[in-house]
């Protein structure tokens, strides 16, 4: 078994669509990034790559590469899953936490879970997503952006 951890944070930006966990969320601002800014998927990718000893998302999909400008982060996640499978790993479970003062994420959690389980090619039971505020403290509390934490467990893929 191998464990991996990921963390990411992005600043809010007016006039951009908010996408979290692969799901569009109605809000008056989105997240600033080279990609679509899906901070939850970025933390998840880093946890997966970390567990597999494959570096991080920046190494696989550099900011400097125009191929990744405004890219749907689900495409990156699917590529990470393919690289993990190719390296002989399978995903046992993923546990994610989004940290945001606003908007309210609870109504979107089930949809995110279904979306991420599809991209991870696992059962929904293997993906858990939580959302919390920081009670007004820090950059997330002041509504400057959204942060995300991810932990995953990988197991060696049995030889078929
Ligand atoms: Mg990021």
């Amino acid at each position: 078994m191998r464990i991996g951890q990921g963390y990411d944070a992005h600043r809010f930006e007016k006039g951009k669509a908010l996408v979290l966990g692969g799901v569009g969320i109605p809000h008056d601002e989105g997240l600033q990034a080279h990609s679509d800014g899906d901070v939850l998927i970025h933390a998840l990718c880093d946890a997966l790559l970390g567990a597999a000893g494959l570096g991080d998302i920046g190494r696989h999909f550099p900011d400097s590469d125009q191929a990744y400008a405004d890219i749907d982060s689900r495409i990156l996640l699917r590529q990470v899953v393919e690289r993990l499978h190719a390296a002989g790993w399978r995903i046992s479970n993923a546990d994610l936490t989004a940290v945001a003062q606003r908007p309210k994420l609870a109504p979107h959690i089930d949809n995110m879970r279904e979306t991420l389980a599809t991209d991870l090619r696992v059962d929904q039971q293997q993906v858990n997503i939580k959302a919390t505020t920081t009670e007004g403290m820090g950059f997330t509390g002041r509504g400057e952006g959204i942060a995300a934490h991810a932990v995953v467990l990988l197991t060696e893929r049995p030889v078929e």
Side-chain angles (χ1 to χ4, degrees):
M1 288 186 292
R2 297 279 286 268
I3 194 164
Q5 174 267 343
Y7 172 79
D8 197 17
H10 283 265
R11 185 182 290 278
F12 275 124
E13 179 183 309
K14 292 265 180 225
K16 206 173 168 185
L18 179 61
V19 184
L20 267 186
V23 171
I25 294 174
H27 193 49
D28 57 351
E29 24 187 19
L31 294 172
Q32 204 176 82
H34 187 63
S35 66
D36 64 1
D38 194 326
V39 70
L40 197 58
I41 286 187
H42 297 177
L44 175 56
C45 286
D46 267 354
L48 291 164
L49 292 167
L54 290 173
D56 64 28
I57 191 170
R59 191 174 107 192
H60 289 261
F61 313 106
D63 272 10
S64 53
D65 190 336
Q66 277 310 308
Y68 304 120
D70 293 320
I71 197 168
D72 177 348
S73 293
R74 291 185 67 187
I75 294 168
L76 307 182
L77 176 59
R78 287 186 213 122
Q79 286 187 25
V80 166
V81 171
E82 269 173 33
R83 287 172 201 191
L84 246 61
H85 286 178
W89 298 105
R90 68 183 179 86
I91 297 154
S92 181
N93 78 302
D95 186 23
L96 316 178
T97 304
V99 186
Q101 198 65 34
R102 60 189 175 81
K104 273 238 166 299
L105 300 178
H108 307 285
I109 295 287
D110 286 349
N111 196 2
M112 290 183 202
R113 190 183 190 195
E114 192 181 335
T115 301
L116 295 184
T118 301
D119 289 344
L120 291 170
R121 294 193 246 157
V122 299
D123 193 86
Q124 279 189 51
Q125 303 303 317
Q126 293 165 270
V127 181
N128 191 72
I129 304 175
K130 310 180 294 297
T132 186
T133 71
T134 52
E135 299 190 342
M137 297 182 288
F139 71 89
T140 53
R142 291 188 296 271
E144 292 170 14
I146 295 181
H149 301 265
V151 175
V152 304
L153 192 77
L154 304 182
T155 54
E156 274 184 286
R157 196 183 181 85
V159 179
E160 281 147 22

